[in-house]
């Protein structure tokens, strides 16, 4: 942190200063966070424990669900605790740490969604070569690349914020630390850093979204020659993936692919990509899948029988 900084903590305004409203928000987010951990955790355990879910699609899905838990955990627990107190505060180092993990898991999720689109492209457009292309080592490398890409993105964003001096004020109109609201607190010229932040976040979003669109354009074109049943099965899987992509990319694009200014709507929009997407992922992408659903029920039944026999 720059030597001229004299700010040691940052205050959040949150969603409301009304104590009754804060209690409702706390209960609502606690329910959603619990559902996120249980739903995505069940997917991870089901895929790891089930011998039938061994295809690359489920391998990537287990990592996506794990990232969703981690991503939501960066902001939700802090928000839940803050709504129970009058003074919503975080240390400056804690704020920078929150930015790092927010963009680490967020960037990893973007790359994982892109990898999953590539997996669907290979499965549908090159079915005879699918096992040869998406072999276990290749899948492991793709997942490692997603984690590495998220780490590089996060290090870039965090470094740009970390070197800034903060002399006051120390209040941000948000419920967690992110690059745009924290950038407004810097007491130095931030024009160049703002451009670098947009280039870092925007380029990843644009390139990943372009790959996603290209993959699905090719997939849709190839489906024209398939039978009606084959089209329905492929479109069902692709539609679920596209729903998750839309829920994540559209709000992220609204926040990060524009000049570094904060808007009143940013807090509400942030809920979509930090909470609602992890919450809906098990529903729209996993539990609509008959194989995952049946494997989860078998796992729960075995667990129930094992507890009952003790």
């Amino acid at each position: 942190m720059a030597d001229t900084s004299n700010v040691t903590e940052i205050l959040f305004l949150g969603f409301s200063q009304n104590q009754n409203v804060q209690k409702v928000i706390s209960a609502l987010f606690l329910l959603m966070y619990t559902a996120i951990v249980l739903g995505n955790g069940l997917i991870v355990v089901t895929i790891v424990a089930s011998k039938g879910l061994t295809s690359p699609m489920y391998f990537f899905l287990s990592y996506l669900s794990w990232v969703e838990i981690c991503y939501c955990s960066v902001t939700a627990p802090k928000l839940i605790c803050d709504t129970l107190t009058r003074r919503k505060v975080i240390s400056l180092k804690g704020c920078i740490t929150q930015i790092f993990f927010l963009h680490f898991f967020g960037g990893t999720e973007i790359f994982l969604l892109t990898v999953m689109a590539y997996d669907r492209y290979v499965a549908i457009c090159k079915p005879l070569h699918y096992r040869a292309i998406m072999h276990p080592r290749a899948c492991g490398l793709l997942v490692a690349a997603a984690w590495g890409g998220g780490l590089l993105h996060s290090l870039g964003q965090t470094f740009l914020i970390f070197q800034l001096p903060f002399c006051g004020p120390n209040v941000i109109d948000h419920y967690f630390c992110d690059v745009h609201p924290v950038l407004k607190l810097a007491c130095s010229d931030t024009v160049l850093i703002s451009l670098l932040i947009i280039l870092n976040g925007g380029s990843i979003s644009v390139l990943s979204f372009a790959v996603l669109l290209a993959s699905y354009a090719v997939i849709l074109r190839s489906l024209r020659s398939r039978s009606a049943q084959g089209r329905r099965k492929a479109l069902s899987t692709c539609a679920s993936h596209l729903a998750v992509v839309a829920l994540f990319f559209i709000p992220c694009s609204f926040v990060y692919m524009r000049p570094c200014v904060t808007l009143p709507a940013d807090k509400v929009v942030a809920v979509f990509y930090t909470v609602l997407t992890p919450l809906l992922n098990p529903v729209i992408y996993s539990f609509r899948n008959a194989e995952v659903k049946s494997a989860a029920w078998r796992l729960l039944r075995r667990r129930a029988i094992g507890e009952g026999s003790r």
Side-chain angles (χ1 to χ4, degrees), residues 34-47 65-66 69 282 299:
T34 303
I36 287 167
V37 174
L38 292 178
N40 286 283
L42 178 60
I43 292 172
V44 174
V45 173
T46 299
I47 293 174
S65 297
W66 173 244
I69 295 172
L299 182 66

Side-chain angles (χ1 to χ4, degrees), residues 11-15 171-176 181 262-264 266-267:
L11 301 176
F12 298 130
L13 293 182
F15 285 102
V171 179
I172 62 176
D173 187 16
H174 215 304
Y175 66 93
F176 63 86
T262 57
L263 301 174
D266 285 353
K267 287 184 286 188

Side-chain angles (χ1 to χ4, degrees), residues 221-292:
R221 185 177 179 181
S222 69
L223 288 177
R224 292 184 301 179
S225 60
R226 300 291 181 87
S227 64
Q229 183 179 359
R231 283 198 299 269
R232 281 195 300 270
K233 184 177 180 181
L235 287 173
S236 176
T237 303
C238 294
S240 299
H241 185 244
L242 282 173
V244 175
V245 167
L247 280 170
F248 189 75
F249 269 89
I250 293 175
C252 281
S253 299
F254 174 80
V255 172
Y256 296 111
M257 294 177 63
R258 68 165 197 248
C260 289
V261 295
T262 57
L263 301 174
D266 285 353
K267 287 184 286 188
V268 177
V269 173
V271 174
F272 279 87
Y273 60 84
T274 60
V275 178
L276 286 184
T277 300
L279 177 66
L280 295 176
N281 173 52
V283 178
I284 64 179
Y285 195 65
S286 303
F287 293 148
R288 288 181 69 247
N289 185 298
E291 291 180 319
V292 175

Side-chain angles (χ1 to χ4, degrees), residues 96-97 99-101 103 153-163 179 200:
I96 301 299
T97 301
I99 291 175
F100 171 80
F101 284 107
H103 286 269
H153 162 67
S154 180
L155 287 173
Q157 298 290 74
T158 307
F159 174 76
L160 292 172
I161 295 294
F162 189 80
Q163 63 178 327
V179 288
N200 184 7

Side-chain angles (χ1 to χ4, degrees), residues 131-179:
R131 288 294 179 182
I133 296 174
M134 303 301 293
H135 54 83
R137 186 169 181 272
C139 293
L141 289 174
L142 287 171
V143 168
W147 284 102
L151 178 61
L152 290 175
H153 162 67
S154 180
L155 287 173
Q157 298 290 74
T158 307
F159 174 76
L160 292 172
I161 295 294
F162 189 80
Q163 63 178 327
L164 291 172
F166 296 96
C167 316
N170 66 335
V171 179
I172 62 176
D173 187 16
H174 215 304
Y175 66 93
F176 63 86
C177 287
D178 203 358
V179 288

Side-chain angles (χ1 to χ4, degrees), residues 95-223:
C95 182
I96 301 299
T97 301
Q98 192 175 53
I99 291 175
F100 171 80
F101 284 107
L102 181 76
H103 286 269
F104 175 41
F105 293 121
T108 302
E109 181 166 350
I110 288 176
F111 289 120
L112 271 176
L113 289 171
T114 307
V115 166
M116 293 173 77
Y118 173 71
D119 172 68
R120 291 299 84 205
Y121 158 75
V122 176
I124 295 170
C125 300
K126 300 179 182 295
L128 298 179
H129 304 285
Y130 181 66
R131 288 294 179 182
I133 296 174
M134 303 301 293
H135 54 83
R137 186 169 181 272
C139 293
L141 289 174
L142 287 171
V143 168
W147 284 102
L151 178 61
L152 290 175
H153 162 67
S154 180
L155 287 173
Q157 298 290 74
T158 307
F159 174 76
L160 292 172
I161 295 294
F162 189 80
Q163 63 178 327
L164 291 172
F166 296 96
C167 316
N170 66 335
V171 179
I172 62 176
D173 187 16
H174 215 304
Y175 66 93
F176 63 86
C177 287
D178 203 358
V179 288
H180 289 181
V182 172
L183 199 64
K184 290 182 64 178
L185 303 183
C187 50
S188 66
D189 184 13
T190 60
V191 175
L192 178 59
I193 289 180
S194 298
L195 290 174
L196 292 174
I197 286 174
I198 295 170
L199 286 174
N200 184 7
S203 60
I204 290 174
S205 299
V206 169
L207 289 174
S208 298
F209 198 58
V211 172
L212 286 164
L213 290 179
S215 298
Y216 281 105
V218 175
I219 288 172
L220 291 175
R221 185 177 179 181
S222 69
L223 288 177

